[in-house]
Amino acid sequence: MGVVQSDDRSSPRVSLLVPVYNVERYLRECLESARTQTLEEIEIICVNDGSTDGSRAILEEFAAADSRFRVIDKENSGYGASMNRGLEVARGEFVGILESDDFLDPDALEMLYRSARDTDAEVAKADFYLHWSQPEPRDERFGWVGPEMAGMVDPRDCLEVFFLKPSIWSALYRRSFLEQNGIRFLETPGASYQDSAFNFKVWACARQAVLVDRAFLHYRQDNESSSVNAPGKVFCVCDEYEEMLRYVEEREFDAGFFLPVLAKMRYDSYLWNFDRLTPALREEFAQRMAEDFRREDEAGVVDFSLFEPWKIPERQAVIDDPSAFCRRRASGGRDSKLTILARCWRAGGPSLVAHVLKSRLSRR
């Protein structure tokens, strides 16, 4: 393990962390977008997680040409460990993250830095683009931030930030804020869901966040590395939620506020993970979903007012019969209205049935 380059000990405005593992196909475009940022007072910390392709040579090339690049070599131990290593050595006033297959617009860091400094924010968060290279380069704005959300927010008054896609790489974080709140990544193997707990910790601790109604980062869709065939990664998302619960307890946060938020987040993340799995892996994960959902019900931490109405009977279907849920999901079948209402009754009684019926009527 070693660090290459940069003898300049002055503190940069932004430390940009770039985790790298066998991504030579896209790495030059990524690093070039960092090198050409209009905000020049930055350091670009590239953490090489034991790459076995040509990624290391590309990192050396950029580090030799620009002293702002720092290369850290480590044995392959996963995304979380790489990010924590970068956080350990970062010297910037703010910290940003750039995945090694994505790239930034030239003014990305300058605009986010200015937004954070002008508002004295702990976090500056922007929208991003979904990017496809084939058959022709194409960008589609995701819509994480829009005009209705833009500006200063306290996450406790804007719960939507907890429920949207983590996308931790379209933001800047004040480094002192991360350090004071012990915000780090869970160091599980590989690169699966480690952004989830980090994202939750950020929003749970932040009191001043500025949301920017612009997109700067191009989030590549052509290189979507999937864990659907990897049995060892099936339950990584569950590890992240255990870490969130640990953090809430350790920090003595308001459980009455945060546990219902986590129950909603867990449902969305678990269902997204379920749909990415191959059929052979879904049954076992569905059983785990049912177990965790039942545990939340028994603890009385679920607030169905936070759920979109159609998700309530789906959640109950998992609890009622995980195997049947898998079969129905695979076939694309639909439950009858009576079955849906019966599940709502089991989930929350007559008041929940009334709530779901009212929401369905209002959508007509």
Side-chain angles (χ1 to χ4, degrees):
M1 182 183 296
V3 179
V4 178
Q5 282 301 129
S6 188
D7 294 325
D8 180 10
R9 302 309 298 173
S10 62
S11 296
R13 295 183 179 181
V14 172
S15 296
L16 186 62
L17 310 186
V18 186
V20 177
Y21 178 68
N22 288 354
V23 70
E24 62 180 356
R25 179 179 178 184
Y26 304 111
L27 187 55
R28 287 184 184 279
E29 183 176 26
C30 167
L31 299 182
E32 185 65 16
S33 77
R35 187 190 68 81
T36 56
Q37 287 295 299
T38 57
L39 182 67
E40 296 181 351
E41 300 90 341
I42 65 175
E43 63 175 355
I44 304 155
I45 302 172
C46 304
V47 184
N48 177 36
D49 190 27
S51 294
T52 57
D53 65 355
S55 296
R56 183 61 173 78
I58 296 172
L59 294 177
E60 287 182 349
E61 176 186 323
F62 275 82
D66 190 330
S67 64
R68 297 176 303 167
F69 282 85
R70 307 173 66 193
V71 180
I72 297 175
D73 288 304
K74 58 185 280 292
E75 294 182 359
N76 180 254
S77 55
Y79 180 90
S82 293
M83 295 305 297
N84 286 341
R85 183 73 178 99
L87 289 172
E88 288 171 6
V89 302
R91 297 178 288 114
E93 181 184 359
F94 286 86
V95 174
I97 298 165
L98 177 59
E99 305 286 352
S100 52
D101 53 356
D102 299 336
F103 60 95
L104 293 166
D105 287 340
D107 62 343
L109 297 184
E110 181 177 1
M111 295 300 295
L112 284 170
Y113 178 79
R114 184 183 302 168
S115 297
R117 284 298 301 268
D118 289 350
T119 57
D120 196 30
E122 297 154 320
V123 184
K125 171 74 174 177
D127 201 1
F128 57 92
Y129 296 107
L130 301 176
H131 176 78
W132 289 266
S133 301
Q134 303 294 332
E136 296 292 334
R138 177 169 65 91
D139 286 312
E140 179 181 311
R141 187 160 164 176
F142 184 82
W144 204 104
V145 181
E148 72 288 350
M149 284 181 67
M152 289 296 295
V153 300
D154 180 335
R156 295 198 186 198
D157 298 325
C158 185
L159 290 184
E160 190 174 357
V161 302
F162 287 96
F163 305 142
L164 291 168
K165 180 178 177 61
S167 56
I168 59 174
W169 20 256
S170 66
L172 288 185
Y173 311 94
R174 192 176 292 273
R175 184 164 61 90
S176 60
F177 160 75
L178 296 178
E179 292 175 348
Q180 290 164 8
N181 290 285
I183 298 175
R184 291 292 186 269
F185 289 81
L186 187 63
E187 296 191 9
T188 46
S192 298
Y193 301 102
Q194 286 95 335
D195 57 348
S196 299
F198 180 90
N199 181 68
F200 170 77
K201 293 171 186 178
V202 165
W203 296 128
C205 294
R207 291 296 173 269
Q208 292 178 270
V210 60
L211 306 183
V212 181
D213 183 19
R214 278 191 58 187
F216 303 105
L217 180 131
H218 301 257
Y219 174 43
R220 191 179 299 276
Q221 303 300 291
D222 309 273
N223 191 40
E224 281 282 85
S225 57
S226 175
S227 60
V228 294
N229 294 303
K233 294 184 179 181
V234 170
F235 300 105
C236 286
V237 66
C238 306
D239 296 335
E240 291 293 307
Y241 279 87
E242 293 307 310
E243 169 66 7
M244 295 180 213
L245 290 170
R246 183 202 65 77
Y247 191 77
V248 167
E249 182 177 354
E250 176 190 82
R251 297 275 157 171
E252 298 182 345
F253 286 165
D254 180 1
F257 177 86
F258 282 110
L259 295 188
V261 168
L262 281 174
K264 169 62 165 61
M265 290 174 60
R266 186 195 296 267
Y267 172 84
D268 289 338
S269 296
Y270 277 22
L271 262 291
W272 188 78
N273 184 60
F274 175 88
D275 285 334
R276 295 176 74 227
L277 299 174
T278 56
L281 300 175
R282 287 180 177 177
E283 176 77 25
E284 187 178 7
F285 187 71
Q287 297 291 338
R288 174 62 185 267
M289 285 199 295
E291 181 182 314
D292 287 353
F293 293 165
R294 288 192 201 103
R295 185 176 61 181
E296 290 173 337
D297 286 349
E298 291 167 1
V301 300
V302 182
D303 180 354
F304 285 116
S305 70
L306 299 178
F307 284 67
E308 293 87 342
W310 64 89
K311 294 180 179 179
I312 298 169
E314 283 287 296
R315 182 180 181 276
Q316 189 62 41
V318 175
I319 294 173
D320 287 345
D321 190 335
S323 297
F325 174 82
C326 290
R327 292 193 297 272
R328 181 173 60 81
R329 197 83 167 181
S331 67
R334 293 175 175 267
D335 290 320
S336 69
K337 293 179 180 178
L338 185 59
T339 298
I340 291 172
L341 291 177
R343 288 196 179 119
C344 292
W345 183 281
R346 288 196 294 278
S351 62
L352 187 56
V353 171
H355 168 67
V356 171
L357 285 173
K358 182 179 178 180
S359 66
R360 290 176 68 88
L361 290 171
S362 66
R363 291 166 58 193
R364 292 181 178 177

